[in-house]
Amino acid sequence: MAGRPIIEIENLSHTYMKGTPMEHVALKGANLFVEEGECVAIIGHTGSGKSTLIQHFNGLMRPESGKVLIDGEDLSNKKVNLKTLRQKVGLVFQNPEDQIFEKIIGDDIAYGPFKLGLPLKEVRERVKWAMSVVGLDFEGMIDRQTFALSGGQKRKVALAGILALKPKILVLDEPTAGLDPRSRNELLDNIKRLNKEEKLTVIFVSHNMEEVALLADRVYVMADGTDVLNGTPKEIFTDKEKLQRYHIGTPESVQVLYRLTDLGYEVKTDAFSITEAANEIIKVLACKKECSKHVQRI
Amino acid sequence: MSSEFEISKRITIGQYVPTGSFIHRLDPRVKVFAFTILVLAIALNTSYIGNTIGLVLSLYLFWVSKIPIRYGLSGIIPAIPFIVILAVLQLLFQGQLFSHGKVYVDYGFILITSESIRLVVVSAVRFVEIIFLSSVLTLATSTTELTHSIQSLLSPLKKIKFPVHEISLITTIAIRFVPTFAIEMEKMMKAQASRGADFGTGGWWRIIQRTKETFPIIIPLFNIALSRAEDLILAMESRCYTPGGERSSYTTYQIAAKDYLALVTGLLFAILLFAYPFPI
Ligand SMILES: Nc1ncnc2c1ncn2[C@@H]1O[C@H](COP(=O)(O)OP(=O)(O)O)[C@@H](O)[C@H]1O
Ligand SMILES: [Mg+2]
């Protein structure tokens, strides 16, 4: 896939609380390249600088040193139009339900579009579209009170609030953290659909390897403020030596397959989607039956 | 280039900077007591010399505590507009109350005398000294130590049914959560800016617009504060906290020679600033 580069980050560094005793280097020489239409996952331990990195995408943070190019635009340039940039790059923070402040769902989703100065009719269209994308019933939910929603519904509202800006690039910080399994799956489906059907470029931070294996075209691994590894999920999850070196977890499916190889069975360890892994296990089971029959006959 | 959203960096209250200096290692009760009498003495001193001594002393304490003076100064910067406005108002309108001394300007209701100038200069310097002193105290004392000492210093008041324990707990929690809410506020500003919010754009005279701009931050912050408070209650109750209950303490403090030294020094300076008749 040789798409157009849409995010190019080179040698980026950032220090928090600069000039105080609490000074803390969060990024040192990080790199990241994303092509238009890709779905990229960023993984890494807590404190490795993932959130700091993604806050550079929409100009919440300016490059202290290094280069940040978003859709060809250099963010070191002070004259960058931040409003347009933030419309283009929709950033969904961790626990985005905290940011809901209007009483009515519709008003909260409409906040961004109104801030863009769009006419009422257009705003309404966008709210309707955003709600349908995240799976909220427009007629039934638009006038509902925001405080009485469940956690999963609140997160949908928050996501819709960003989608209503019609971004080209969607960035999500640990989007499924703290969600119940059902809301989680719905959210993942939505993200997948936005990437595949609406052609949004998606970048998400995650600690859940199943999620990463399921959604991502490519994975970046962060450690100590830099990118230490990147590749397709297949490349990352089959590199046993690096998995251990950087303490990267693997999807449960891969763990099962690794265990089976350790026990001496011949399975492919790069089959980490649930169905592929299941097929491998069935093969082992089938062989076992065959083999044991064989043993009995002898 | 720093971020436009770095609020927490500018807030020095409630931060603890462990450098392990002499001041850090003092008995917190002695520390709080000594700083309190020093602040009181400075607040009551109106002489130029006295306040110069106070200023030098508070700068010296920064040096002793090994906390970068630059960091202490950053706590002053947000207060500068207030200091300036206060100074201008005092200079223009307080002359009538200080009409003794040499008269410099007498124009309508504006009267500027040597005494009113003294008031202006001394108030401004005093303000800086007090911010410095309280910064050294809070930067060099952990919150737990602060609670302990406030509680034990106020304990005589228990006799008159003053809620000592409650007051010290409330004070501690308030101080402790200043940096936490600064971080939450920073996060909220970023989150709302990500969906197109802008802050402090319209001119200051467009009060209604400026006020409306703060809703997307204030309302979620209230929610966060309330849920934090609930968490805190749960955390405290699950560790058997009961209001009014008698509590023992993990650390007991022994007053040592260095504490007496600090106490005597603090007292000496306080008495000097309070009682010595400085010529100017
Ligand atoms: N506002 C802040 N002020 C000071 N330090 C921070 C701030 N935000 C994050 N950090 C520090 O920067 C480092 C990287 O943080 P972050 O980018 O949030 O990591 P991640 O998202 O990978 O967990 C952490 O050590 C964290 O403590
Ligand atoms: Mg994070």
Side-chain angles (χ1 to χ4, degrees), chain A residues 14-22 55 58-64 75-78 82-83 86-87 89-91 93-96 98-102 108-109 111-113 115-116 158 161-162 165, chain B residues 1-6 8-11 15-19 67-68 70-71 74 139 184 186-199 209 212-213 215-217 219-221 223-224 227:
Chain A
H14 183 82
T15 310
Y16 280 109
M17 310 283 254
K18 204 165 191 164
T20 76
M22 283 81 70
Q55 284 175 33
N58 73 344
L60 288 174
M61 287 181 175
R62 296 301 189 98
E64 203 173 83
L75 297 198
S76 324
N77 186 350
K78 280 197 178 163
L82 286 175
K83 275 225 149 146
R86 285 174 193 163
Q87 183 274 319
V89 184
L91 178 58
F93 265 73
Q94 196 173 353
N95 298 329
D98 284 349
Q99 74 200 35
I100 296 171
F101 71 99
E102 292 279 10
D108 203 83
I109 300 176
Y111 176 74
K115 278 284 169 190
L116 293 177
I162 297 290
L165 296 167
Chain B
M1 207 191 301
S2 96
S3 151
E4 62 196 291
F5 299 105
E6 254 192 299
S8 48
K9 183 173 155 180
R10 277 171 285 172
I11 293 186
Q15 285 285 6
Y16 176 57
V17 183
T19 61
I67 294 165
R70 205 156 44 112
Y71 189 58
S74 67
L139 293 174
E184 291 290 356
E186 200 174 297
K187 190 193 146 192
M188 202 42 67
M189 287 176 78
K190 285 177 178 171
Q192 304 296 21
S194 296
R195 39 181 195 154
D198 28 31
F199 308 110
Q209 189 198 331
K212 271 191 181 159
E213 279 177 359
F215 287 168
I217 305 173
I219 296 170
L221 270 184
N223 283 334
I224 290 171
S227 69

Side-chain angles (χ1 to χ4, degrees), chain A residues 16-17 24 26 45-53 173, chain B residues 8 183 186:
Chain A
Y16 280 109
M17 310 283 254
H24 184 93
H45 282 274
T46 308
S48 56
K50 306 179 297 289
S51 302
T52 311
L53 176 65
D173 198 349
Chain B
S8 48
I183 290 173
E186 200 174 297

Side-chain angles (χ1 to χ4, degrees), chain A:
Chain A
M1 194 167 60
R4 199 169 64 87
I6 196 156
I7 295 183
E8 297 160 84
I9 291 182
E10 235 174 286
N11 208 7
L12 180 66
S13 299
H14 183 82
T15 310
Y16 280 109
M17 310 283 254
K18 204 165 191 164
T20 76
M22 283 81 70
E23 199 168 279
H24 184 93
V25 180
L27 285 180
K28 38 189 173 201
N31 303 285
L32 182 101
F33 295 89
V34 179
E35 287 171 3
E36 201 165 11
E38 266 192 310
C39 181
V40 171
I42 303 177
I43 62 177
H45 282 274
T46 308
S48 56
K50 306 179 297 289
S51 302
T52 311
L53 176 65
I54 63 172
Q55 284 175 33
H56 284 85
F57 296 172
N58 73 344
L60 288 174
M61 287 181 175
R62 296 301 189 98
E64 203 173 83
S65 74
K67 206 170 74 176
V68 178
L69 289 183
I70 305 292
D71 207 5
E73 202 169 15
D74 188 344
L75 297 198
S76 324
N77 186 350
K78 280 197 178 163
K79 292 202 202 88
V80 172
N81 185 337
L82 286 175
K83 275 225 149 146
T84 339
L85 177 69
R86 285 174 193 163
Q87 183 274 319
K88 194 187 290 180
V89 184
L91 178 58
V92 184
F93 265 73
Q94 196 173 353
N95 298 329
E97 51 277 14
D98 284 349
Q99 74 200 35
I100 296 171
F101 71 99
E102 292 279 10
K103 251 170 77 181
I104 308 288
I105 292 183
D107 289 348
D108 203 83
I109 300 176
Y111 176 74
F114 271 128
K115 278 284 169 190
L116 293 177
L118 297 171
L120 187 62
K121 199 165 154 268
E122 170 79 12
V123 173
R124 211 178 147 76
E125 283 302 310
R126 284 187 175 208
V127 172
K128 192 170 180 177
W129 173 79
M131 285 179 73
S132 76
V133 170
V134 299
L136 288 171
D137 172 38
F138 180 70
E139 299 298 335
M141 298 288 281
I142 188 159
D143 289 328
R144 284 273 289 276
Q145 305 264 355
T146 45
F147 71 87
L149 297 173
S150 73
Q153 284 173 320
K154 275 192 190 165
R155 198 162 292 188
K156 283 182 180 173
V157 172
L159 178 59
I162 297 290
L163 290 175
L165 296 167
K166 295 240 169 163
K168 265 173 83 170
I169 307 170
L170 183 64
V171 186
L172 307 114
D173 198 349
E174 304 192 22
T176 58
L179 281 189
D180 56 285
R182 191 174 140 210
S183 306
R184 209 192 110 204
N185 289 337
E186 283 176 6
L187 183 58
L188 291 176
D189 284 345
N190 287 331
I191 296 174
K192 190 162 195 170
R193 203 146 33 85
L194 284 164
N195 178 239
K196 294 280 176 297
E197 286 166 28
E198 307 281 341
K199 305 289 178 220
L200 263 71
T201 306
V202 174
I203 296 137
F204 69 104
V205 173
S206 179
H207 285 290
N208 183 310
M209 298 305 146
E210 278 78 36
E211 236 164 78
V212 173
L214 183 73
L215 288 184
D217 299 320
R218 252 165 4 96
V219 184
Y220 271 86
V221 182
M222 299 273 301
D224 285 330
T226 40
D227 56 312
V228 288
L229 205 59
N230 75 81
T232 63
K234 241 178 198 156
E235 285 161 7
I236 302 282
F237 292 135
T238 49
D239 192 337
K240 214 172 172 184
E241 184 256 325
K242 290 213 172 93
L243 287 177
Q244 258 161 13
R245 169 138 48 110
Y246 298 115
H247 306 285
I248 308 166
T250 50
E252 275 169 12
S253 52
V254 177
Q255 281 170 26
V256 171
L257 296 176
Y258 272 133
R259 287 261 187 84
L260 286 173
T261 35
D262 286 347
L263 291 174
Y265 293 103
E266 265 190 37
V267 290
K268 288 197 308 205
T269 49
D270 62 351
F272 49 75
S273 81
I274 300 283
T275 30
E276 278 179 290
N279 284 335
E280 289 299 311
I281 295 171
I282 289 170
K283 257 197 264 168
V284 172
L285 291 176
C287 161
K288 240 188 159 170
K289 255 189 206 155
E290 286 289 313
C291 300
S292 52
K293 263 186 217 157
H294 195 62
V295 174
Q296 270 173 7
R297 230 180 282 152
I298 294 174

